[in-house]
Amino acid sequence: FRECYTGFPWLWARSVGLMCSYFVMIDQIRRNTRAFETKIGQFVTSGCCACTAFALVWPLETIKTMVQADSHEGGDSVRERIRFLNKHHGIFGLYRGMGAGLASIFLRNGSAMTVMQWAQKKLTELGFRD
């Protein structure tokens, strides 16, 4: 049963950092720009904020993946794995796979924000929101 929670501390740290940074950026843009007035603005803003947030926490994603995969590449402890990545791939070893990840993150989050804004507008029109 314990194996189900392998990597959970890394997932938790990544998710907290990701969500906090994403919503802080979205809030600042909504308050200080007119980007959310158009659908393309909503799409691009959300996609860019999500990519920025993921780029900030991507090293935690890499570590989480290594822990969950039970990969002993470079050692058994997280510290040994980070040293291994740094030695063989440089600091960018912690950012392996980020390109493909960011492409999908941009599309998913941009689309989700556009749909959410539309749904909120419809719920307000129907009287379910103030």
Side-chain angles (χ1 to χ4, degrees), residues 12-79:
W12 181 81
R14 183 218 55 182
S15 297
V16 167
L18 175 68
M19 296 307 291
C20 289
S21 57
Y22 173 77
F23 284 115
V24 165
M25 287 184 275
I26 289 291
D27 183 57
Q28 287 300 308
I29 291 171
R30 287 184 83 158
R31 290 174 190 249
N32 299 310
T33 71
R34 299 173 64 194
F36 271 75
E37 292 180 4
T38 65
K39 297 237 182 284
I40 192 71
Q42 296 164 4
F43 181 87
V44 171
T45 299
S46 182
C48 289
C49 289
C51 286
T52 303
F54 257 101
L56 292 171
V57 299
W58 198 269
L60 295 173
E61 177 72 16
T62 302
I63 293 166
K64 175 203 64 99
T65 301
M66 290 177 77
V67 170
Q68 287 180 331
D70 202 23
S71 167
H72 296 285
E73 180 181 26
D76 291 328
S77 74
V78 171
R79 183 174 291 170

Side-chain angles (χ1 to χ4, degrees), residues 90-110:
I91 192 66
F92 295 108
L94 289 171
Y95 289 90
R96 294 186 331 185
M98 190 171 84
L102 291 182
S104 84
I105 289 162
F106 182 84
L107 292 173
R108 284 183 302 182
N109 284 278

